[in-house]
Each structure stands twice: as structure tokens, then as C-alpha cells.
Amino acid sequence: ALRLTRWWLAGPWKDDEEESLLLEPPFDPSELKPRARAKVAKRDWERVTLPADRHVDLELLTGKKGDDQLWLLVTRLDVSGSEPLEVLLWLQLDDGWDVLLDGQRVSRERRRGGRRFLDWSFPLRLGPGEHQLAVLVEDRKSMSTFGALLAGADNGAPPPGVREHPEPEEKDK
């Protein structure tokens, strides 16, 4: 599988137990434009590179600890060739999520995972070109676990032609 390591990160936002920020975030998840020196719902976008060999705790990564929080991560994927590709997106999470591909919801679920993270997979159909993948991560208690991998539709290696999109500064090198 291909671990997705290059993300834009924003948050966390403190969740009120009476209302779920996962269900009613303080921004429109279908209209995200992450970039340097920009904000989303009063939070800065930050470029992060996640480890290539494991999931992370977003609280430890950022030093922003707490419970009942919402995090937002966005990355871009490139698909070369002329045919759509079928892939599985695997997420490592311990609570709820909302996943959007090009502004369209793929999956959303509220869960309480406790102290263990769980793996969830979602099929994606990626046409040729660039795609934006956004993941809202709900942290109810304990850690804010996050990891993302792409696999082939058969759960093997991802098909040739799909990769993480390099950021503009990487293209110029």
C-alpha cells in the first residue's frame, strides 16, 4: 500500500458535546482551499509530513492536546493515464470521520474507538487528473489517531499511475 504522508492540517476545533462538529463543522468541507498563510474557520493551514511507516497522534504531532476536538487534513492525489482507477482508501482512526473526495462525501461515521485505533477502508474511483482528498477526524477521548494508505481495489499494491501530488515547491526543484 502507499502511505499518504503529505497533508495540509488545520485545527483542532473544540467540540461542544451537545452538537457534533463532525456533523456541523465551522467550515464548508466541500470548499477547502489549503495553502500557506491561509486560514479555515480561524485556524491556520499547516503543511505536515507524516511518518511513512505508521499512523500518528495528531495531538502529539502538533502539541495541541485535548478531547472532544475536530481536525481537518487535506491532500491531493494525481492519476496519470486515460482510464479511471479503482483503489481502496484505508484510514487508521480511533473515533469518527468524514471523508470527501473532490468535495463529495465518501463516508461519514461517528464512533468511539477508545484507546485502540481501528482500520476502515473505502473504495474510491479516481479519474485521470488531480483530486483533493479531505478527512475530518473526530477526537472524542484519548488520542487523535490518524493514518491513510491507498491500496489496489483487490487490497494489493495501488495501481500504477496513482500517487501523492507534489506540492508546487517540490515541482520547482
Side-chain angles (χ1 to χ4, degrees), residues 72-142:
L72 171 61
L73 294 108
V74 175
T75 193
R76 294 181 300 164
L77 304 172
D78 270 344
V79 175
S80 60
S82 59
E83 297 297 319
L85 299 177
E86 305 288 335
V87 298
L88 282 177
L89 171 66
W90 282 93
L91 294 180
Q92 297 169 306
L93 304 159
D94 64 347
D95 287 317
W97 66 82
D98 194 358
V99 177
L100 295 101
L101 179 66
D102 298 328
Q104 300 297 310
R105 180 161 291 116
V106 173
S107 176
R108 178 170 68 185
E109 190 164 339
R110 294 197 72 204
R111 290 203 171 257
R112 281 193 188 266
R115 295 188 171 270
R116 290 189 44 179
F117 76 86
L118 302 169
D119 291 332
W120 302 96
S121 68
F122 315 99
L124 299 179
R125 182 177 172 89
L126 302 173
E130 185 179 312
H131 300 277
Q132 182 182 69
L133 178 65
V135 182
L136 285 73
V137 177
E138 183 179 47
D139 170 36
R140 303 306 299 164
K141 301 282 181 221
S142 190

Side-chain angles (χ1 to χ4, degrees), residues 53-73:
D53 61 345
R54 61 181 168 78
H55 65 277
V56 298
D57 180 348
L58 297 173
E59 295 176 38
L60 292 177
L61 179 72
T62 63
K64 299 173 184 173
K65 295 185 179 189
D67 289 325
D68 298 316
Q69 300 184 120
L70 181 71
W71 299 86
L72 171 61
L73 294 108

